[in-house]
Amino acid sequence: MFGESKGIILYSRDHKEKDKLVKIFTEKYGKLVFYVKNAHRKNNPLGASILPMTAAVYSGEIKSEGLSFLNAAKDIQPYAHLQQDIFANAYATYVLGLADAAIEDKKADPFLFRFCQIILAQMDLGNDPEVLTNIFEVQVLGRFGVSLELDKCALCGNTKGPFDFSEKFHGLLCRRHFSEDERRLHTDPKVCYLLQVFNQLPPQRIGKISVSPATKEQLRAVLDEIYDEYVGVHLKSKHFIAEMKKWQQLMQD
Ligand SMILES: [Zn+2]
């Protein structure tokens, strides 16, 4: 079937000597792997459109089984900052890796597609990639089949904090109910408040959000705990971010 759709490059890998396998998250058809012949040839018209951190309107032969074939691309939008900045690139790569892990191939998910577009566009503008990643991580949980109560106390429905996070009750716990879970995470209420905000934020309203380095560190810790406990997906790109933070620290010291 011939098809045309907006898409975002998920990855672009060398295949044999001259060709590439390019995975694209398309708005209409979901995630597809395309075989691109002679991708390395200098004058290949698809060249710029299949670089990592690029969006475009792609068209080609879409196969229900196996690989699809890419014919053309137009309206090419490189995310220039994400292509050049190693730090922002690491976060964007992780977000796209999560989107890839969260849903099956060849199933359309236009909402998740547009959410990825928004997150990448905000990162490309230079807004804090760590915070944008955290927002994505919170909101994509449902796609992994994880349903946590992040809007109110999981026990009494109280919507005003201070809250802690409880794995026993799969969500926030208000101060009145702290005693119900001896192993609550003892997360800073400020961090729980941000989890609540991130969970409720409509994607089109995502913009610049300032979070202090100490709070970001705690957000990372609680989201790592949630991802280990409920999602169990371990991406290389996440490991890379952790390593990168270590060297950043070393350089500052
Ligand atoms: Zn409560």
Side-chain angles (χ1 to χ4, degrees):
M1 171 188 77
F2 174 82
E4 182 176 84
S5 173
K6 283 184 195 167
I8 302 169
I9 300 296
L10 291 173
Y11 65 69
S12 193
R13 283 183 194 149
D14 290 344
H15 183 72
K16 299 191 186 150
E17 249 172 73
K18 297 177 187 152
D19 310 332
K20 271 184 191 278
L21 291 177
V22 181
K23 191 166 194 180
I24 304 180
F25 188 1
T26 69
E27 185 175 31
K28 276 193 209 163
Y29 313 102
K31 296 175 293 155
L32 300 168
V33 181
F34 290 91
Y35 191 85
V36 183
K37 229 174 152 42
N38 294 317
H40 290 289
R41 203 190 284 155
K42 274 223 165 72
N43 56 1
N44 188 317
L46 290 169
S49 72
I50 56 173
L51 292 173
M53 300 302 154
T54 302
V57 174
Y58 298 95
S59 55
E61 191 59 29
I62 315 257
K63 305 276 189 192
S64 54
E65 301 276 320
L67 301 170
S68 298
F69 294 90
L70 197 57
N71 293 334
K74 60 181 182 187
D75 301 336
I76 300 166
Q77 296 175 315
Y79 296 106
H81 175 62
L82 301 181
Q83 288 180 349
Q84 286 154 18
D85 182 289
I86 185 172
F87 295 102
N89 182 287
Y91 288 98
T93 302
Y94 171 55
V95 161
L96 291 175
L98 276 182
D100 196 5
I103 57 167
E104 274 178 63
D105 285 356
K106 298 179 177 173
K107 285 222 169 121
D109 190 338
F111 184 88
L112 185 62
F113 173 82
R114 286 194 289 270
F115 189 27
C116 288
Q117 268 187 321
I118 290 169
I119 293 286
L120 294 186
Q122 288 291 330
M123 284 183 179
D124 201 45
L125 286 173
N127 287 335
D128 193 331
E130 277 187 88
V131 175
L132 290 162
T133 297
N134 293 159
I135 294 169
F136 189 84
E137 287 174 302
V138 169
Q139 293 202 14
V140 84
L141 282 169
R143 291 296 192 286
F144 287 103
V146 177
S147 154
L148 300 177
E149 181 54 86
L150 296 175
D151 294 332
K152 51 190 188 289
C153 173
L155 280 180
C156 71
N158 169 8
T159 56
K160 296 219 167 67
F163 293 116
D164 193 1
F165 187 85
S166 162
E167 288 179 346
K168 185 175 170 189
F169 296 106
H170 311 298
L172 301 178
L173 209 57
C174 79
R175 189 188 269 162
R176 269 187 291 164
H177 292 105
F178 280 0
S179 59
E180 299 288 328
D181 182 5
E182 285 173 5
R183 297 177 61 200
R184 64 192 170 89
L185 295 186
H186 293 274
T187 307
D188 186 331
K190 229 188 303 174
V191 171
C192 290
Y193 170 73
L194 285 173
L195 289 178
Q196 199 185 22
V197 170
F198 292 174
N199 191 47
Q200 293 171 350
L201 197 59
Q204 63 278 12
R205 286 190 47 211
I206 292 172
K208 201 175 167 199
I209 300 176
S210 296
V211 178
S212 74
T215 303
K216 277 201 270 190
E217 209 171 296
Q218 293 188 63
L219 263 170
R220 186 66 267 146
V222 72
L223 281 164
D224 282 347
E225 181 63 36
I226 288 172
Y227 266 71
D228 282 347
E229 178 72 19
Y230 294 96
V231 179
V233 164
H234 298 277
L235 299 174
K236 266 191 231 156
S237 51
K238 168 93 175 286
H239 182 70
F240 179 73
I241 290 173
E243 292 294 306
M244 192 175 71
K245 281 190 151 179
K246 278 188 221 158
W247 0 297
Q248 257 182 324
Q249 202 62 46
L250 278 173
M251 277 159 31
Q252 279 163 8
D253 295 347

